[in-house]
Amino acid sequence: MANEKIILVEDDLSVSHVIITALRAEGYDVESCKSITERDALMGSTSYDLLLTDVGLGEGDGISSLDTVQANHPDLPIIIISAQNTLNTAVRASETGAFEYLPKPFDLDELVEVVGQALKPKNIRPVEASMDEESLPLVGRSPAMQEVYRMIARLLKNDLSVLVLGESGTGKELVAEAIHGLGHRKSGPFVAVNMAAIPSEMIEAELFGHEKGAFTGAVASASGKFEQAQGGTLFLDEIGDMPMHAQTRLLRALQSGEINRVGGKGPVQLDVRIIAATNHDFLELIEQGKFREDLYYRINVVPIELPPLRERASDIPALTNHFLKLAVTEGLPHKQISQEGMNLLCHHYWRGNVRELKNVIYRLVVTGREDTLSEEAIRQILAAERNEDHAESENMAFDSHIKSIVLGLMANPEKENLYAQALEKFEKPLLIEMMNHAHGNQIKAAKILGINRNTLRKKLNEYQIDPTQSK
């Protein structure tokens, strides 16, 4: 192995010792220092093959101070390490043209591997870094989010298709907005479309546009989402709900780089980056024949998986404070959370993820009377949320049961008199339960049901329900 010379800038002596030991064991010649001033002095007198630098240094910022280094050593590969594990840090590191960014705590074997890769002949030209932490849409410093930030940073200078995966409410659209707003297409439009919200028969016109008279109601020509996103980014949310006929046209558009309006005569060339998102299991959809496998591989060039909030509970305090500040900008009163209240938030399950947390915080801000929101106030809001979820679950279960009844009746080869059959499926158990509730009292049961007593008696006879057997 060649005896490449590495300079390490790290003011934490314990971290510095571990890195030096690992790199020297690989045969590298490592020289270390603790400050930007020492770094500049060493680099002014010695030639190095790689710079490994921390960000938070006592006398300054390890990233913003790289301008001079890169001006004097334009071909020097740089690896940045940092405990400032935010999207801002990952993006700033990427914008310097650094070979790699590793958030602390990092895997030592990975660091050694990255150093070996960086010392191969590769030159990445730097670009000017300028980021505002407050303008970034994603919040959190958990290890799971650090990996998301690293992936976003790698996508800012290219147009690779991205597939964002994650449960509902995890912030998939925020990832798409970050890739667009921080990338080289940020001056172009960002167009988001929810595939689940568009009627199946309108989806092609919505995406690809249409000409006047192309179908009933098309009184004028209209551009679709693809054309509206020209020069920018098209975000296809809930793409797993896209009907098969539209999937075929989307695949053709992605393969050819052009679209045809519905009723149009000529193609329209595309200049659009595609970011898609779903909370579905794609492999299951493909197996069920609900999603084209070739389209899946076309959009899934770079996958980004967003963790559910319960897997990054350490981010909840930062997210909570972010939403409290956001509420103030929207005209709501300034509030803060007690330590006991914050602990309660951190231990909640958050089935609705970040979106649910935001809703709870806003509800607390609106309803809370004290400037500091107590554990009890938060507990009451969370209890109300659970009751709403329970009611919603009951409604969904009821809808599912009704649907199964209808599908069962439809499966009958003799599909006649379905209305009466379906009504019996519902009406008979209703009458039985009502008579049980009224302990066989027909007058009471009829009053609760809001029907005439004679009508009730007729129904009981029709369904052969004996009121005397009621509880």
Side-chain angles (χ1 to χ4, degrees), residues 414-433:
E414 298 179 2
K415 301 186 184 72
E416 293 182 0
N417 205 20
L418 289 185
Y419 179 80
Q421 294 180 51
L423 193 61
E424 179 180 353
K425 291 281 187 181
F426 174 77
E427 196 171 33
K428 184 175 181 178
L430 171 65
L431 294 173
I432 292 173
E433 289 302 315

Side-chain angles (χ1 to χ4, degrees), residues 249-449:
R249 284 203 61 178
L250 175 60
L251 176 63
R252 192 181 306 123
L254 298 181
Q255 289 174 332
S256 65
E258 60 184 33
I259 61 169
N260 286 87
R261 288 185 175 186
V262 177
K265 297 180 180 178
V268 177
Q269 295 297 317
L270 294 178
D271 176 23
V272 177
R273 181 185 201 149
I274 300 297
I275 302 178
T278 187
N279 57 12
H280 290 296
D281 182 337
F282 260 124
L283 297 182
E284 185 176 317
L285 290 178
I286 292 169
E287 194 172 303
Q288 295 172 353
K290 295 179 179 179
F291 202 87
R292 292 186 59 126
E293 187 171 9
D294 45 5
L295 177 57
Y296 167 71
Y297 289 116
R298 175 68 64 170
I299 61 175
N300 189 30
V301 178
V302 181
I304 297 180
E305 187 152 5
L306 275 177
L309 186 54
R310 58 186 172 275
E311 291 182 9
R312 56 180 189 113
S314 61
D315 289 336
I316 289 176
L319 284 163
T320 298
N321 290 325
H322 172 73
F323 293 139
L324 288 171
K325 291 178 182 177
L326 198 61
V328 173
T329 67
E330 297 180 16
L332 296 174
H334 174 73
K335 303 283 184 180
Q336 56 186 3
I337 305 286
S338 68
Q339 185 58 55
E340 296 78 10
M342 190 67 78
N343 290 339
L344 183 59
L345 292 175
C346 289
H347 288 90
H348 187 63
Y349 186 74
W350 299 117
R351 187 170 63 180
N353 293 298
V354 179
R355 183 185 296 125
E356 183 188 2
L357 174 62
K358 181 181 179 181
N359 291 344
V360 166
I361 297 304
Y362 271 55
R363 189 179 298 187
L364 282 165
V365 169
V366 170
T367 61
R369 296 178 179 176
E370 304 296 329
D371 291 338
T372 300
L373 300 167
S374 67
E375 177 184 9
E376 182 56 32
I378 296 171
R379 195 180 300 279
Q380 290 177 7
I381 293 293
L382 294 179
E385 286 273 317
R386 282 194 294 271
N387 289 337
E388 290 174 7
D389 288 345
H390 179 68
E392 183 179 352
S393 296
E394 285 188 334
N395 289 336
M396 290 176 64
F398 180 75
D399 291 345
S400 177
H401 181 60
I402 294 296
K403 184 176 180 179
S404 66
I405 290 174
V406 173
L407 291 176
L409 293 173
M410 291 293 290
N412 189 334
E414 298 179 2
K415 301 186 184 72
E416 293 182 0
N417 205 20
L418 289 185
Y419 179 80
Q421 294 180 51
L423 193 61
E424 179 180 353
K425 291 281 187 181
F426 174 77
E427 196 171 33
K428 184 175 181 178
L430 171 65
L431 294 173
I432 292 173
E433 289 302 315
M434 188 54 62
M435 292 308 300
N436 287 336
H437 176 76
H439 303 290
N441 188 323
Q442 296 182 42
I443 296 176
K444 183 178 179 181
K447 183 176 180 180
I448 295 173
L449 287 168

Side-chain angles (χ1 to χ4, degrees), residues 199-240:
S200 175
E201 66 274 10
M202 292 299 297
I203 200 163
E204 291 188 36
E206 187 76 14
L207 287 178
F208 308 118
H210 64 266
E211 297 295 346
K212 180 179 178 180
F215 50 84
T216 303
V219 296
S221 297
S223 61
K225 299 299 183 183
F226 270 94
E227 289 183 75
Q228 294 168 23
Q230 286 282 43
T233 302
L234 178 61
F235 176 55
L236 301 175
D237 197 9
E238 301 303 344
I239 194 171

